[in-house]
Amino acid sequence: MKLNVSDLSFSFDSSKVLKNISFETAEGEFLGLMGPNGSGKTTLLRCLTRYLPARAGAILVDMKPLHTMTDREVASTFAVVPQSSSTDFPFTAKDVVLMGRIPHMQSRLSSSRREDADKALAAMTVSGCAHLANRSFSELSGGERQRVVIARALAQEPKALLLDEPTVYLDISGQLEMMDLVAKLNREESLTIIAVLHDINLAARYCDRIALLNQGKLEVLGPPNDVLRPEVILTVYGVDVTVRKDPLTHDVFVMPRSPTVLSTKIGRRIHVLCGGGSGGPIMRALVDGGYSVSVGVLNVLDSDYESATDLRVPIIAEVPFAQISDDMHAENLKRIDETPIVVVTHFPVGPGNFRNLEAAMYALKAGKRVYILTGGGGARIDFVGGKADAFIGDLVDAGAVKIKSVTDMMHIIGE
Amino acid sequence: MSGIGKVAANSRIRRSPVRFLCLLAVLLLATFFLAIFIGAKGPIGSDDIDEMRYSELFDAILDKDSERLSYSTTAIVWAFRIPRVLLAGLVGASLACAGTAMQAVFRNPMADPFIIGVSSGAAIGASSAGLIGLTVVVGSFTKPMLAFACAIVTVFFVYRMGTIRGKVQVETLLLSGVAVAAFLGAIVSFLMYSAGQQFHELLLWLLGSFAEPRWSYVWMMLFPALAGVIIIFLYGRELNALLLGEETAHNLGANPETLKKLMLAVAAFVTAGAVAFTGIIGFVGLIVPHMMRILVGADHRVLVPAATLFGASFLIWADSIARTILPGEELPVGVITAMCGGPFFLYLLRRSRTGSVIS
C-alpha cells in the first residue's frame, strides 16, 4: 500500500494539533512516529483511521482519497493495535479475533462463519496465539492480549498496521517479542507498518524511517541514523543525549544524559586530568553543575576523549597511541595556569601519560587547588612499576586532597 | 463495573451454542403450554374443588369452538390464559433483549432497559392517566398510550441531555438518566401520596402485572418486540466490537455513533411498549442478560437470542407463580421476578466465580 498525506491539519476547538503534515510511505515500509507527549502522534493515527476528521489536507490510500471510502473499506485498509485492550465482558480470545472479520461481513443475514473462523485461526497462528483461542480474554497477560489484538488486526486483512505505542505496558522481553512479531509481519506479509513508539532505541532498531513530530509539525523524516542526532533530539525533546552505534549491529542507540537543557554556567573553570574512561562521571557532573570544564591530555580514541566530545568540553588531545608530546604538555600546563582547580581522576598510568601526573605537581607548585579522585580507594592502576603510586604520595604531601567519590568532590568544590 | 466479566463461561455450552439455543427454545415452548394449565381454576395450582380437568383444557386449546365444553372453560383458556402467557413471554423477551443491548451500549453490566428513563416516564404517564380519571372518560387504552408517550418523551429528553455535539456521551447519558429518573420518581411519589384510594392500583402497576391480559395488547406488542429482537440480533457483531471501546469499534468498521443511536431507539421503543401494557417489571432486563452471559459468554450473536428466549420463559414462570402462590389473590409479578431471580442469579454467580476458567 502506498500512503500519501499532504498538508494534513487538525484542530480541537481552537488549538491546532496537527499543522500541515505531509509525507509518503512506500510499499511495505516500517515507519516510526515519534515525538514528545502531545506532539500529535496519536492524533495523526486517528486521522488516518478517520476516527477524527481531518480539517484540511488530503490523505490518499493507493491514490484513492480516504474520505471517499466507506467505514468498512477504511477498516480493511488500516488495522489498529492500541496500547492495551481490556473489557469487563467474558469474551474468549477467539471472540476478540473474530471481531476483525466485521469489515468483511457480506450481509447481516448470511453467515459465512466457517470462512471467518478459518481466517481467525490462521491469523492467530501467524501471531502465535492459536493456543489461547478458548481462553478468557480478560485473564490473559498483557503480552498475550497484544498478540490476540494483532491477530484481530490480521483478521481484518488490512493493507497497513497502525500501532499506537504497542509495547508501553510490556516488560522488556515482551517488548522485543512484540516488535519482532511486527517486524516479521512487515517482512513476510509485506504489511506496511506505521507505529507510534516512545522508546527511541526500539525505534532505531526496527524502523526503516522515523518521522519526528514536534508541536504538531513534522520536524524530520528519514532513516534512524539521520533523524536520531543529538542536536535534533535536543531541539525536539529538550534532552541532552549521547548517540552511539551498537558495535554488534551498527544500529544507532541513544543514551539520555541530563533531563534538562544544560544548566546556566557558573563559569568557574576546572581542569580535569584523566584517561582510560576514568573521567566520564566527574566531567558530566561538573558540566551539569555549570562549571566551565577543560580536559587534559587525552589520546584521540580514548573513551574519555569520546565522553569529552559528547559533553562539548575543550580537549587537549594527542594523536592515538602516542606519548604526550612536549607541545601538548606545554598546552596542558598553559591551561592549568588559567584554572584555579585541577581534578586528577583514578586513571591508569603508563609511560605514555605519566606527564599528566607531572602536570598535577606543576599545578600544586603554582598554588592551585588539586583534588585526587581515588575511585573508592583501590590501588592506582600502575603500569610504570610503582612510580605512579609513589608520585601520588608526593602529590598528597605537597598538598593535594584525596576524595573518595564524585558526589563528595562536587560537594567540596561547591563550597 | 462489576467483576462479572471476569467470569469464564461454561465450556460445554460455549462449544455448541446452537444446541443450547435449541434447548432454550424447547424450554420456552414447554413453558408456554405448561403455563396454560396453571391457574386458580386448575388443573395446576387450583384452590377450588370445582376445578377444570386436563382433558377439558386440551380440548379447549385444540378446538376453540368445541361444543362439548362449557363456555367458561374456553373463555378462561382463550380470553384469559393464552393471551396472558403470550403477553408475559413477549414482555420478558423484550425486556431481556433490550437489557442486553443497553448493557452493550453502556459497556456496563449494571445497565438495564430502564436506565434512560423509560420506567419513570411511563410511570408519570400511567399515574396521571389513573389519577385524572382519563381511563374512565376516554377509554381503557388511555393508560398504556399515555404511559408509552411519556416514556418516549422522557427517553428523548435524556438522550438530548446526554448528546454533545451530535455524539452520544455514554457517561453523560447514564447520569442524565439517573437524574431524570430521580426527579420523575419524586413526582410519582407525590402523585401516589395524594392518590388516596387509587394508591393500591397505582402501586400494583408500578410493580408490574399481567392481571388484565387482552388479545389487543398481544397484537400490539408482537410487532415491536419481534422487530426489536431481530434488529438487535442483526447488529450482534457490532455490539461485540462496541464492548471493546468506541474507538476500537470504529477501527473495526462498526460506526459507533449510528450503532448507539439505533440501539437506544430500538431498546427504548420496545421497553416503552412493554411497560405501557404491563407496568414496571424490574429485574428481568438486568439479570437475564447476566445469567445468559455467564452461560454462553459475551458474543452477542449467541447472547441476544439466548437472553430473548430465556427472558420469555423466565417471565412466564414468574407470572405463573404470581397468580397461584396466594390462594384467591394475585401478587405483582415484579415481586416474584426479584424473589426467584435474585437467589438463582447469586447461585450462578458464585458457582461460575469459584470454578471458573474455560478449558
Side-chain angles (χ1 to χ4, degrees):
Chain A
M1 183 208 70
K2 211 167 165 305
L3 178 69
N4 293 57
V5 176
S6 55
D7 239 4
L8 175 69
S9 293
F10 179 82
S11 37
F12 281 117
D13 298 326
S14 58
S15 67
K16 278 195 134 190
V17 185
L18 292 178
K19 301 167 193 161
N20 307 87
I21 304 260
S22 298
F23 67 95
E24 292 178 7
T25 63
E27 187 83 43
E29 180 168 2
F30 196 136
L31 178 73
L33 282 183
M34 305 193 68
N37 290 333
S39 58
K41 303 169 303 253
T42 302
T43 306
L44 178 54
L45 282 195
R46 286 178 170 167
C47 285
L48 292 181
T49 60
R50 280 207 325 217
Y51 186 65
L52 295 175
R55 294 278 189 268
I59 300 172
L60 302 178
V61 176
D62 287 329
M63 302 324 281
K64 191 177 178 191
L66 187 73
H67 66 88
T68 62
M69 295 162 76
T70 65
D71 285 345
R72 289 208 204 140
E73 275 172 348
V74 174
S76 46
T77 304
F78 297 115
V80 179
V81 177
Q83 290 182 355
S84 67
S85 307
S86 64
T87 170
D88 271 349
F89 289 80
F91 286 112
T92 59
K94 199 167 82 189
D95 289 338
V96 172
V97 177
L98 275 169
M99 291 177 196
R101 297 302 300 162
I102 293 175
H104 299 280
M105 186 163 57
Q106 295 300 322
S107 123
R108 290 179 190 289
L109 292 167
S110 80
S111 60
S112 55
R113 297 187 67 164
R114 171 102 271 142
E115 190 200 341
D116 286 345
D118 289 347
K119 291 211 160 135
L121 186 68
M124 293 182 94
T125 311
V126 171
S127 75
C129 62
H131 61 290
L132 304 173
N134 291 318
R135 291 267 304 278
S136 167
F137 183 68
S138 53
E139 285 171 2
L140 301 179
S141 74
E144 289 170 330
R145 251 185 266 175
Q146 285 300 65
R147 275 179 189 277
V148 171
V149 172
I150 289 210
R152 183 183 69 198
L154 293 177
Q156 284 175 252
E157 300 181 310
K159 294 172 182 161
L161 216 53
L162 308 184
L163 300 104
D164 190 0
E165 295 173 36
T167 60
V168 146
Y169 296 110
L170 304 182
D171 61 22
I172 186 156
S173 75
Q175 292 181 3
L176 291 176
E177 279 177 26
M178 179 78 188
M179 293 304 291
D180 280 339
L181 173 60
V182 173
K184 190 183 92 174
L185 297 173
N186 176 236
R187 229 174 23 244
E188 292 173 10
E189 321 273 322
S190 50
L191 265 176
T192 301
I193 310 281
I194 300 177
V196 172
L197 294 170
H198 255 321
D199 188 320
I200 299 182
N201 294 329
L202 226 46
R205 183 162 163 184
Y206 289 98
C207 297
D208 298 325
R209 289 195 302 164
I210 291 175
L212 201 54
L213 292 176
N214 190 19
Q215 295 174 353
K217 285 199 202 113
L218 184 57
E219 190 88 19
V220 234
L221 172 62
N225 293 8
D226 294 353
V227 173
L228 302 177
R229 282 178 291 133
E231 59 273 24
V232 175
I233 291 170
L234 187 65
T235 4
V236 173
Y237 289 92
V239 176
D240 213 7
V241 296
T242 303
V243 176
R244 290 282 160 77
K245 268 191 177 175
D246 182 335
L248 298 178
T249 61
H250 282 194
D251 290 331
V252 290
F253 67 93
V254 166
M255 290 176 291
R257 219 157 47 212
S258 64
T260 52
V261 190
L262 294 177
S263 46
T264 48
K265 297 253 184 247
I266 294 176
R268 258 173 102 189
R269 304 182 75 154
I270 294 182
H271 190 64
V272 179
L273 301 168
C274 59
S278 64
I282 185 69
M283 280 194 283
R284 192 210 142 168
L286 289 170
V287 168
D288 282 355
Y291 294 97
S292 175
V293 182
S294 58
V295 61
V297 189
L298 291 172
N299 289 105
V300 174
L301 294 185
D302 189 308
S303 53
D304 277 345
Y305 178 86
E306 284 182 22
S307 309
T309 315
D310 288 336
L311 290 165
R312 292 170 213 107
V313 163
I315 310 162
I316 300 157
E318 186 52 85
V319 294
F321 311 114
Q323 284 209 354
I324 296 175
S325 61
D326 291 342
D327 285 353
M328 287 304 128
H329 187 53
E331 187 98 13
N332 206 13
L333 299 185
K334 207 174 105 198
R335 177 67 73 157
I336 288 170
D337 286 337
E338 298 162 355
T339 311
I341 299 172
V342 173
V343 171
V344 182
T345 66
H346 189 71
F347 63 87
V349 185
N353 64 349
F354 194 81
R355 277 181 145 178
N356 275 345
L357 288 182
E358 290 173 3
M361 187 58 93
Y362 171 84
L364 280 168
K365 297 241 167 87
K368 312 287 180 184
R369 284 157 66 193
V370 175
Y371 297 105
I372 301 174
L373 195 60
T374 58
R380 184 157 297 271
I381 311 159
D382 189 331
F383 296 105
V384 283
K387 240 172 86 185
D389 286 335
F391 200 92
I392 296 285
D394 293 346
L395 285 176
V396 173
D397 290 345
V401 181
K402 280 188 169 183
I403 292 168
K404 278 209 182 83
S405 68
V406 171
T407 322
D408 290 350
M409 179 78 84
M410 292 305 293
H411 200 66
I412 286 163
I413 291 176
E415 277 170 1
Chain B
M1 292 213 190
S2 87
I4 289 162
K6 298 207 172 55
V7 174
N10 182 302
S11 60
R12 221 169 40 207
I13 293 172
R14 299 216 50 177
R15 257 183 239 128
S16 50
V18 177
R19 201 188 301 165
F20 183 67
L21 290 181
C22 290
L23 198 76
L24 285 179
V26 171
L27 174 75
L28 177 57
L29 221 62
T31 299
F32 174 75
F33 283 109
L34 205 59
I36 296 174
F37 288 84
I38 298 172
K41 293 253 187 293
I44 305 168
S46 156
D47 57 329
D48 198 338
I49 312 150
D50 190 21
E51 64 177 32
M52 295 189 288
R53 289 192 304 274
Y54 283 97
S55 56
E56 276 179 6
L57 247 125
F58 268 119
D59 288 344
I61 292 170
L62 293 173
D63 184 3
K64 198 175 170 181
D65 306 313
S66 171
E67 281 158 16
R68 290 183 292 113
L69 299 168
S70 66
Y71 172 73
S72 75
T73 304
T74 35
I76 283 171
V77 170
W78 281 99
F80 188 77
R81 286 197 186 165
I82 293 179
R84 179 166 190 158
V85 170
L86 283 174
L87 197 62
L90 283 172
V91 168
S94 303
L95 292 179
C97 187
T100 313
M102 286 294 108
Q103 290 175 5
V105 167
F106 287 93
R107 289 195 294 284
N108 189 330
M110 298 308 293
D112 74 7
F114 303 140
I115 198 156
I116 47 169
V118 175
S119 54
S120 44
I124 290 278
S127 39
S128 37
L131 292 180
I132 308 166
L134 281 175
T135 319
V136 186
V137 182
V138 191
S140 60
F141 269 110
T142 315
K143 192 155 87 177
M145 286 305 140
L146 210 56
F148 183 82
C150 289
I152 294 293
V153 168
T154 309
V155 169
F156 189 70
F157 177 73
V158 171
Y159 171 81
R160 293 294 302 176
M161 291 278 102
T163 312
I164 295 163
R165 287 193 214 103
K167 291 207 167 195
V168 179
Q169 310 267 325
V170 167
E171 292 80 8
T172 319
L173 195 62
L174 195 80
L175 291 173
S176 314
V178 171
V180 167
F183 174 73
L184 295 182
I187 294 182
V188 171
S189 298
F190 173 77
L191 290 175
M192 282 175 71
Y193 184 75
S194 46
Q197 56 189 24
Q198 277 165 314
F199 175 85
H200 186 78
E201 193 197 331
L202 204 54
L203 184 68
L204 204 66
W205 186 88
L206 285 175
L207 289 167
S209 164
F210 296 105
E212 300 166 46
R214 286 159 199 260
W215 277 101
S216 54
Y217 290 0
V218 173
W219 298 127
M220 288 171 79
M221 270 300 291
L222 189 65
F223 173 71
L226 264 181
V229 167
I230 289 170
I231 292 173
I232 291 172
F233 171 72
L234 289 181
Y235 282 84
R237 279 161 166 263
E238 279 99 328
L239 287 174
N240 287 349
L242 194 60
L243 283 180
L244 267 85
E246 286 179 24
E247 187 169 358
T248 298
H250 169 89
N251 292 338
L252 293 169
N255 187 328
E257 284 309 314
T258 317
L259 184 62
K260 280 186 293 183
K261 284 171 188 161
L262 181 68
M263 287 301 121
L264 287 171
V266 169
F269 197 68
V270 166
T271 311
V275 167
F277 292 120
T278 59
I280 301 165
I281 301 169
F283 214 77
V284 181
L286 176 68
I287 296 303
V288 170
H290 267 280
M291 287 177 173
M292 289 302 110
R293 207 177 285 117
I294 288 171
L295 293 174
V296 305
D299 182 355
H300 283 79
R301 287 174 299 171
V302 183
L303 180 61
V304 168
T308 306
L309 291 170
F310 188 72
S313 300
F314 181 81
L315 203 53
I316 294 175
W317 278 114
D319 180 51
S320 303
I321 296 169
R323 59 194 155 104
T324 50
I325 194 161
L326 290 184
E329 218 179 323
E330 260 196 38
L331 271 179
V333 69
V335 173
I336 303 296
T337 55
M339 270 193 195
C340 307
F344 180 53
F345 174 66
L346 283 176
Y347 160 75
L348 272 182
L349 183 66
R350 291 296 302 176
R351 209 191 61 160
S352 62
R353 299 208 79 181
T354 44
S356 62
V357 193
I358 329 162
S359 55

